[in-house]
Short mmCIF file of all heavy atoms in Angstrom, two decimals:
data_model
loop_
_atom_site.label_atom_id
_atom_site.label_comp_id
_atom_site.label_asym_id
_atom_site.label_seq_id
_atom_site.Cartn_x
_atom_site.Cartn_y
_atom_site.Cartn_z
N SER A 38 42.85 -56.28 -22.95
CA SER A 38 43.22 -56.19 -21.55
C SER A 38 43.85 -54.83 -21.29
O SER A 38 44.76 -54.41 -22.01
CB SER A 38 44.19 -57.31 -21.19
OG SER A 38 44.41 -57.35 -19.80
N VAL A 39 43.36 -54.14 -20.25
CA VAL A 39 43.80 -52.77 -19.98
C VAL A 39 44.03 -52.62 -18.48
O VAL A 39 43.32 -53.23 -17.66
CB VAL A 39 42.72 -51.77 -20.46
CG1 VAL A 39 43.03 -50.37 -20.02
CG2 VAL A 39 42.59 -51.82 -21.97
N GLN A 40 44.98 -51.81 -18.13
CA GLN A 40 45.24 -51.53 -16.72
C GLN A 40 44.24 -50.51 -16.21
O GLN A 40 43.86 -49.56 -16.92
CB GLN A 40 46.67 -50.98 -16.57
CG GLN A 40 47.25 -51.10 -15.19
CD GLN A 40 47.52 -52.53 -14.78
OE1 GLN A 40 47.94 -53.36 -15.59
NE2 GLN A 40 47.28 -52.83 -13.52
N GLU A 41 43.81 -50.69 -14.97
CA GLU A 41 42.90 -49.74 -14.34
C GLU A 41 43.45 -48.32 -14.44
O GLU A 41 44.64 -48.08 -14.22
CB GLU A 41 42.70 -50.12 -12.87
CG GLU A 41 41.75 -49.19 -12.12
CD GLU A 41 41.56 -49.62 -10.67
OE1 GLU A 41 42.26 -50.56 -10.23
OE2 GLU A 41 40.71 -49.02 -9.98
N GLY A 42 42.57 -47.38 -14.76
CA GLY A 42 42.97 -45.98 -14.87
C GLY A 42 43.38 -45.57 -16.27
O GLY A 42 43.38 -44.37 -16.59
N ARG A 43 43.70 -46.57 -17.12
CA ARG A 43 44.09 -46.25 -18.49
C ARG A 43 42.87 -46.17 -19.39
O ARG A 43 41.74 -46.44 -18.97
CB ARG A 43 45.06 -47.31 -19.01
CG ARG A 43 46.35 -47.44 -18.21
CD ARG A 43 47.24 -46.22 -18.41
NE ARG A 43 48.55 -46.37 -17.81
CZ ARG A 43 49.65 -46.71 -18.47
NH1 ARG A 43 49.60 -46.96 -19.76
NH2 ARG A 43 50.81 -46.80 -17.83
N ILE A 44 43.10 -45.85 -20.64
CA ILE A 44 42.01 -45.76 -21.60
C ILE A 44 41.78 -47.12 -22.27
O ILE A 44 42.73 -47.83 -22.61
CB ILE A 44 42.30 -44.68 -22.68
CG1 ILE A 44 41.11 -44.52 -23.63
CG2 ILE A 44 43.58 -45.00 -23.44
CD1 ILE A 44 41.26 -43.33 -24.57
N SER A 45 40.52 -47.48 -22.41
CA SER A 45 40.15 -48.67 -23.19
C SER A 45 39.56 -48.18 -24.50
O SER A 45 38.70 -47.30 -24.51
CB SER A 45 39.09 -49.50 -22.45
OG SER A 45 39.58 -50.03 -21.26
N ILE A 46 40.01 -48.76 -25.59
CA ILE A 46 39.48 -48.40 -26.91
C ILE A 46 38.99 -49.67 -27.59
O ILE A 46 39.76 -50.58 -27.86
CB ILE A 46 40.54 -47.72 -27.79
CG1 ILE A 46 41.04 -46.44 -27.12
CG2 ILE A 46 39.96 -47.39 -29.18
CD1 ILE A 46 42.15 -45.73 -27.87
N LEU A 47 37.69 -49.70 -27.84
CA LEU A 47 37.09 -50.85 -28.50
C LEU A 47 36.65 -50.42 -29.89
O LEU A 47 36.04 -49.37 -30.06
CB LEU A 47 35.90 -51.38 -27.70
CG LEU A 47 36.27 -51.89 -26.30
CD1 LEU A 47 35.87 -50.87 -25.25
CD2 LEU A 47 35.59 -53.21 -26.02
N ASN A 48 36.96 -51.24 -30.87
CA ASN A 48 36.72 -50.88 -32.26
C ASN A 48 35.65 -51.73 -32.92
O ASN A 48 35.43 -52.89 -32.55
CB ASN A 48 38.02 -51.00 -33.06
CG ASN A 48 39.05 -49.99 -32.61
OD1 ASN A 48 38.81 -48.79 -32.62
ND2 ASN A 48 40.22 -50.48 -32.20
N CYS A 49 35.03 -51.13 -33.92
CA CYS A 49 33.94 -51.79 -34.63
C CYS A 49 33.93 -51.29 -36.07
O CYS A 49 34.07 -50.08 -36.30
CB CYS A 49 32.62 -51.44 -33.93
SG CYS A 49 31.15 -52.16 -34.64
N ASP A 50 33.81 -52.18 -37.02
CA ASP A 50 33.74 -51.81 -38.43
C ASP A 50 32.44 -52.31 -39.03
O ASP A 50 31.92 -53.35 -38.64
CB ASP A 50 34.92 -52.41 -39.21
CG ASP A 50 36.25 -51.88 -38.73
OD1 ASP A 50 36.49 -50.68 -38.94
OD2 ASP A 50 37.02 -52.65 -38.12
N TYR A 51 31.92 -51.56 -39.98
CA TYR A 51 30.68 -51.99 -40.63
C TYR A 51 30.80 -51.83 -42.14
O TYR A 51 31.67 -51.10 -42.63
CB TYR A 51 29.47 -51.22 -40.08
CG TYR A 51 29.51 -49.72 -40.29
CD1 TYR A 51 28.86 -49.12 -41.36
CD2 TYR A 51 30.17 -48.90 -39.37
CE1 TYR A 51 28.88 -47.75 -41.53
CE2 TYR A 51 30.21 -47.53 -39.54
CZ TYR A 51 29.56 -46.95 -40.61
OH TYR A 51 29.59 -45.59 -40.79
N THR A 52 29.93 -52.52 -42.84
CA THR A 52 30.04 -52.51 -44.31
C THR A 52 28.88 -51.80 -45.00
O THR A 52 29.02 -51.35 -46.13
CB THR A 52 30.11 -53.95 -44.84
OG1 THR A 52 28.93 -54.66 -44.42
CG2 THR A 52 31.35 -54.68 -44.30
N ASN A 53 27.76 -51.68 -44.31
CA ASN A 53 26.57 -51.13 -44.94
C ASN A 53 26.52 -49.61 -44.79
O ASN A 53 26.38 -49.08 -43.69
CB ASN A 53 25.32 -51.76 -44.30
CG ASN A 53 24.05 -51.43 -45.05
OD1 ASN A 53 23.99 -50.48 -45.82
ND2 ASN A 53 23.02 -52.25 -44.83
N SER A 54 26.63 -48.91 -45.89
CA SER A 54 26.64 -47.45 -45.84
C SER A 54 25.28 -46.87 -45.49
O SER A 54 25.16 -45.67 -45.24
CB SER A 54 27.11 -46.89 -47.19
OG SER A 54 26.26 -47.32 -48.22
N MET A 55 24.25 -47.71 -45.45
CA MET A 55 22.91 -47.23 -45.09
C MET A 55 22.72 -47.16 -43.57
O MET A 55 21.74 -46.58 -43.10
CB MET A 55 21.85 -48.15 -45.69
CG MET A 55 21.85 -48.19 -47.20
SD MET A 55 21.57 -46.59 -47.94
CE MET A 55 19.87 -46.30 -47.47
N PHE A 56 23.63 -47.73 -42.83
CA PHE A 56 23.52 -47.67 -41.37
C PHE A 56 23.59 -46.22 -40.92
O PHE A 56 24.48 -45.46 -41.33
CB PHE A 56 24.62 -48.46 -40.70
CG PHE A 56 24.46 -49.95 -40.79
CD1 PHE A 56 25.58 -50.78 -40.80
CD2 PHE A 56 23.21 -50.54 -40.86
CE1 PHE A 56 25.45 -52.15 -40.89
CE2 PHE A 56 23.07 -51.92 -40.95
CZ PHE A 56 24.19 -52.72 -40.96
N ASP A 57 22.64 -45.84 -40.07
CA ASP A 57 22.62 -44.44 -39.63
C ASP A 57 22.45 -44.31 -38.13
O ASP A 57 22.30 -43.19 -37.62
CB ASP A 57 21.51 -43.68 -40.37
CG ASP A 57 20.14 -44.31 -40.20
OD1 ASP A 57 20.01 -45.24 -39.37
OD2 ASP A 57 19.21 -43.88 -40.89
N TYR A 58 22.45 -45.41 -37.43
CA TYR A 58 22.32 -45.35 -35.98
C TYR A 58 23.13 -46.48 -35.39
O TYR A 58 23.03 -47.62 -35.84
CB TYR A 58 20.84 -45.47 -35.58
CG TYR A 58 20.55 -45.07 -34.16
CD1 TYR A 58 20.60 -43.74 -33.77
CD2 TYR A 58 20.21 -46.02 -33.21
CE1 TYR A 58 20.32 -43.37 -32.47
CE2 TYR A 58 19.94 -45.66 -31.90
CZ TYR A 58 19.99 -44.34 -31.54
OH TYR A 58 19.72 -43.96 -30.26
N PHE A 59 23.92 -46.13 -34.39
CA PHE A 59 24.87 -47.10 -33.84
C PHE A 59 24.77 -47.13 -32.32
O PHE A 59 24.52 -46.11 -31.67
CB PHE A 59 26.30 -46.73 -34.25
CG PHE A 59 26.47 -46.58 -35.73
CD1 PHE A 59 26.22 -45.37 -36.36
CD2 PHE A 59 26.88 -47.66 -36.50
CE1 PHE A 59 26.36 -45.23 -37.74
CE2 PHE A 59 27.03 -47.53 -37.88
CZ PHE A 59 26.77 -46.32 -38.49
N LEU A 60 25.00 -48.31 -31.79
CA LEU A 60 24.88 -48.50 -30.35
C LEU A 60 26.08 -49.29 -29.83
O LEU A 60 26.66 -50.10 -30.54
CB LEU A 60 23.62 -49.30 -30.01
CG LEU A 60 22.28 -48.80 -30.53
CD1 LEU A 60 21.24 -49.90 -30.41
CD2 LEU A 60 21.85 -47.59 -29.74
N TRP A 61 26.39 -49.04 -28.57
CA TRP A 61 27.33 -49.91 -27.86
C TRP A 61 26.59 -50.50 -26.66
O TRP A 61 25.91 -49.78 -25.93
CB TRP A 61 28.56 -49.14 -27.38
CG TRP A 61 29.58 -48.92 -28.44
CD1 TRP A 61 29.73 -47.81 -29.22
CD2 TRP A 61 30.61 -49.83 -28.85
NE1 TRP A 61 30.78 -47.98 -30.08
CE2 TRP A 61 31.33 -49.20 -29.88
CE3 TRP A 61 30.99 -51.12 -28.43
CZ2 TRP A 61 32.42 -49.82 -30.50
CZ3 TRP A 61 32.07 -51.73 -29.06
CH2 TRP A 61 32.76 -51.08 -30.07
N TYR A 62 26.75 -51.83 -26.50
CA TYR A 62 26.15 -52.52 -25.37
C TYR A 62 27.22 -53.23 -24.58
O TYR A 62 28.26 -53.62 -25.11
CB TYR A 62 25.13 -53.56 -25.86
CG TYR A 62 23.81 -52.96 -26.27
CD1 TYR A 62 23.58 -52.59 -27.58
CD2 TYR A 62 22.81 -52.78 -25.34
CE1 TYR A 62 22.37 -52.04 -27.95
CE2 TYR A 62 21.59 -52.23 -25.69
CZ TYR A 62 21.38 -51.86 -27.01
OH TYR A 62 20.19 -51.31 -27.36
N LYS A 63 26.92 -53.39 -23.31
CA LYS A 63 27.82 -54.09 -22.40
C LYS A 63 27.08 -55.31 -21.89
O LYS A 63 25.88 -55.25 -21.63
CB LYS A 63 28.14 -53.13 -21.25
CG LYS A 63 28.96 -53.66 -20.12
CD LYS A 63 29.15 -52.51 -19.12
CE LYS A 63 29.90 -52.94 -17.90
NZ LYS A 63 30.10 -51.79 -16.97
N LYS A 64 27.76 -56.43 -21.77
CA LYS A 64 27.08 -57.64 -21.34
C LYS A 64 27.91 -58.40 -20.32
O LYS A 64 29.05 -58.77 -20.58
CB LYS A 64 26.78 -58.52 -22.55
CG LYS A 64 25.97 -59.76 -22.21
CD LYS A 64 25.69 -60.59 -23.44
CE LYS A 64 24.84 -61.81 -23.10
NZ LYS A 64 25.46 -62.68 -22.08
N TYR A 65 27.29 -58.64 -19.17
CA TYR A 65 27.90 -59.52 -18.18
C TYR A 65 27.42 -60.94 -18.44
O TYR A 65 26.36 -61.14 -19.04
CB TYR A 65 27.51 -59.09 -16.76
CG TYR A 65 28.07 -57.75 -16.36
CD1 TYR A 65 27.25 -56.64 -16.21
CD2 TYR A 65 29.44 -57.58 -16.12
CE1 TYR A 65 27.76 -55.41 -15.82
CE2 TYR A 65 29.95 -56.35 -15.74
CZ TYR A 65 29.11 -55.27 -15.59
OH TYR A 65 29.61 -54.05 -15.22
N PRO A 66 28.16 -61.94 -17.98
CA PRO A 66 27.75 -63.34 -18.20
C PRO A 66 26.34 -63.62 -17.71
O PRO A 66 25.95 -63.15 -16.64
CB PRO A 66 28.79 -64.14 -17.40
CG PRO A 66 29.98 -63.25 -17.34
CD PRO A 66 29.44 -61.85 -17.28
N ALA A 67 25.58 -64.36 -18.47
CA ALA A 67 24.23 -64.81 -18.12
C ALA A 67 23.24 -63.65 -17.95
O ALA A 67 22.20 -63.81 -17.32
CB ALA A 67 24.23 -65.68 -16.86
N GLU A 68 23.58 -62.49 -18.45
CA GLU A 68 22.65 -61.36 -18.41
C GLU A 68 22.43 -60.83 -19.81
O GLU A 68 23.24 -61.06 -20.71
CB GLU A 68 23.20 -60.23 -17.54
CG GLU A 68 23.31 -60.57 -16.07
CD GLU A 68 23.80 -59.39 -15.26
OE1 GLU A 68 23.78 -58.25 -15.77
OE2 GLU A 68 24.22 -59.61 -14.11
N GLY A 69 21.34 -60.09 -20.00
CA GLY A 69 21.10 -59.45 -21.27
C GLY A 69 22.00 -58.26 -21.45
O GLY A 69 22.56 -57.74 -20.49
N PRO A 70 22.16 -57.79 -22.66
CA PRO A 70 22.99 -56.61 -22.90
C PRO A 70 22.41 -55.38 -22.21
O PRO A 70 21.20 -55.24 -22.09
CB PRO A 70 22.94 -56.45 -24.42
CG PRO A 70 22.51 -57.77 -24.94
CD PRO A 70 21.63 -58.35 -23.90
N THR A 71 23.29 -54.52 -21.77
CA THR A 71 22.90 -53.25 -21.16
C THR A 71 23.35 -52.12 -22.07
O THR A 71 24.53 -52.04 -22.43
CB THR A 71 23.57 -53.09 -19.79
OG1 THR A 71 23.21 -54.19 -18.96
CG2 THR A 71 23.13 -51.80 -19.11
N PHE A 72 22.40 -51.27 -22.43
CA PHE A 72 22.73 -50.15 -23.31
C PHE A 72 23.75 -49.22 -22.66
O PHE A 72 23.64 -48.88 -21.49
CB PHE A 72 21.44 -49.39 -23.63
CG PHE A 72 21.67 -48.11 -24.37
CD1 PHE A 72 21.93 -48.12 -25.73
CD2 PHE A 72 21.62 -46.89 -23.72
CE1 PHE A 72 22.14 -46.95 -26.42
CE2 PHE A 72 21.83 -45.71 -24.39
CZ PHE A 72 22.09 -45.74 -25.75
N LEU A 73 24.74 -48.81 -23.46
CA LEU A 73 25.76 -47.91 -22.95
C LEU A 73 25.62 -46.52 -23.56
O LEU A 73 25.43 -45.53 -22.86
CB LEU A 73 27.15 -48.45 -23.31
CG LEU A 73 27.84 -49.34 -22.30
CD1 LEU A 73 29.20 -49.76 -22.85
CD2 LEU A 73 28.01 -48.65 -20.96
N ILE A 74 25.75 -46.46 -24.86
CA ILE A 74 25.79 -45.17 -25.53
C ILE A 74 25.45 -45.36 -27.00
O ILE A 74 25.67 -46.45 -27.55
CB ILE A 74 27.20 -44.53 -25.37
CG1 ILE A 74 27.19 -43.05 -25.78
CG2 ILE A 74 28.26 -45.32 -26.12
CD1 ILE A 74 28.45 -42.30 -25.36
N SER A 75 24.88 -44.33 -27.59
CA SER A 75 24.51 -44.43 -29.01
C SER A 75 25.02 -43.21 -29.76
O SER A 75 25.43 -42.21 -29.16
CB SER A 75 23.00 -44.53 -29.15
OG SER A 75 22.38 -43.32 -28.71
N ILE A 76 24.97 -43.30 -31.06
CA ILE A 76 25.33 -42.16 -31.90
C ILE A 76 24.60 -42.29 -33.23
O ILE A 76 24.47 -43.39 -33.76
CB ILE A 76 26.87 -42.08 -32.11
CG1 ILE A 76 27.25 -40.77 -32.79
CG2 ILE A 76 27.39 -43.28 -32.89
CD1 ILE A 76 28.74 -40.49 -32.79
N SER A 77 24.11 -41.18 -33.71
CA SER A 77 23.48 -41.20 -35.03
C SER A 77 24.49 -40.69 -36.05
O SER A 77 25.48 -40.05 -35.70
CB SER A 77 22.21 -40.35 -35.06
OG SER A 77 22.54 -38.99 -35.15
N SER A 78 24.21 -40.98 -37.29
CA SER A 78 25.19 -40.68 -38.34
C SER A 78 25.37 -39.18 -38.60
O SER A 78 26.27 -38.79 -39.34
CB SER A 78 24.79 -41.39 -39.63
OG SER A 78 23.52 -40.96 -40.04
N ILE A 79 24.53 -38.36 -37.99
CA ILE A 79 24.70 -36.92 -38.20
C ILE A 79 25.79 -36.35 -37.30
O ILE A 79 26.18 -35.19 -37.43
CB ILE A 79 23.38 -36.14 -37.98
CG1 ILE A 79 22.89 -36.31 -36.54
CG2 ILE A 79 22.33 -36.61 -38.97
CD1 ILE A 79 21.69 -35.43 -36.22
N LYS A 80 26.25 -37.19 -36.36
CA LYS A 80 27.31 -36.75 -35.45
C LYS A 80 28.56 -37.58 -35.69
O LYS A 80 28.52 -38.65 -36.28
CB LYS A 80 26.87 -36.93 -34.00
CG LYS A 80 25.70 -36.04 -33.59
CD LYS A 80 25.42 -36.24 -32.11
CE LYS A 80 24.32 -35.32 -31.64
NZ LYS A 80 24.04 -35.49 -30.19
N ASP A 81 29.70 -37.10 -35.19
CA ASP A 81 30.90 -37.92 -35.24
C ASP A 81 31.43 -38.22 -33.85
O ASP A 81 32.41 -38.97 -33.71
CB ASP A 81 31.98 -37.26 -36.11
CG ASP A 81 32.27 -35.84 -35.67
OD1 ASP A 81 31.93 -35.49 -34.52
OD2 ASP A 81 32.85 -35.09 -36.47
N LYS A 82 30.76 -37.71 -32.84
CA LYS A 82 31.20 -37.97 -31.48
C LYS A 82 30.03 -37.79 -30.53
O LYS A 82 29.21 -36.89 -30.69
CB LYS A 82 32.33 -36.99 -31.11
CG LYS A 82 32.82 -37.07 -29.68
CD LYS A 82 33.87 -36.00 -29.42
CE LYS A 82 34.29 -35.96 -27.96
NZ LYS A 82 35.30 -34.90 -27.71
N ASN A 83 29.97 -38.68 -29.55
CA ASN A 83 28.98 -38.54 -28.49
C ASN A 83 29.62 -38.98 -27.18
O ASN A 83 30.25 -40.03 -27.12
CB ASN A 83 27.73 -39.37 -28.79
CG ASN A 83 26.61 -39.07 -27.81
OD1 ASN A 83 26.57 -37.99 -27.23
ND2 ASN A 83 25.69 -40.01 -27.64
N GLU A 84 29.46 -38.15 -26.17
CA GLU A 84 30.15 -38.39 -24.91
C GLU A 84 29.14 -38.52 -23.78
O GLU A 84 28.17 -37.77 -23.70
CB GLU A 84 31.10 -37.22 -24.63
CG GLU A 84 32.07 -37.42 -23.51
CD GLU A 84 33.09 -36.28 -23.43
OE1 GLU A 84 33.10 -35.44 -24.34
OE2 GLU A 84 33.85 -36.25 -22.45
N ASP A 85 29.38 -39.49 -22.90
CA ASP A 85 28.52 -39.67 -21.74
C ASP A 85 29.39 -40.16 -20.58
O ASP A 85 29.70 -41.35 -20.47
CB ASP A 85 27.40 -40.68 -22.04
CG ASP A 85 26.43 -40.84 -20.87
OD1 ASP A 85 26.56 -40.10 -19.86
OD2 ASP A 85 25.54 -41.69 -20.95
N GLY A 86 29.79 -39.20 -19.76
CA GLY A 86 30.64 -39.57 -18.63
C GLY A 86 31.98 -40.11 -19.09
O GLY A 86 32.69 -39.47 -19.86
N ARG A 87 32.30 -41.31 -18.65
CA ARG A 87 33.59 -41.92 -19.02
C ARG A 87 33.57 -42.55 -20.41
O ARG A 87 34.60 -43.00 -20.89
CB ARG A 87 33.96 -42.98 -17.98
CG ARG A 87 34.18 -42.45 -16.58
CD ARG A 87 34.69 -43.54 -15.63
NE ARG A 87 33.70 -44.60 -15.45
CZ ARG A 87 33.89 -45.85 -15.88
NH1 ARG A 87 35.02 -46.19 -16.50
NH2 ARG A 87 32.96 -46.76 -15.67
#
Side-chain angles (χ1 to χ4, degrees):
Chain A
S38 188
V39 171
Q40 200 68 37
E41 181 179 7
R43 299 290 187 99
I44 184 171
S45 295
I46 300 177
L47 298 103
N48 294 303
C49 180
D50 297 293
Y51 61 97
T52 58
N53 190 340
S54 59
M55 298 300 292
F56 287 150
D57 56 9
Y58 195 72
F59 305 87
L60 305 165
W61 280 95
Y62 282 91
K63 175 180 178 178
K64 185 180 182 302
Y65 293 110
E68 294 183 14
T71 303
F72 172 78
L73 269 180
I74 193 167
S75 65
I76 189 169
S77 77
S78 60
I79 62 173
K80 295 184 176 181
D81 53 20
K82 175 183 174 181
N83 189 24
E84 191 173 352
D85 183 5
R87 296 186 296 114

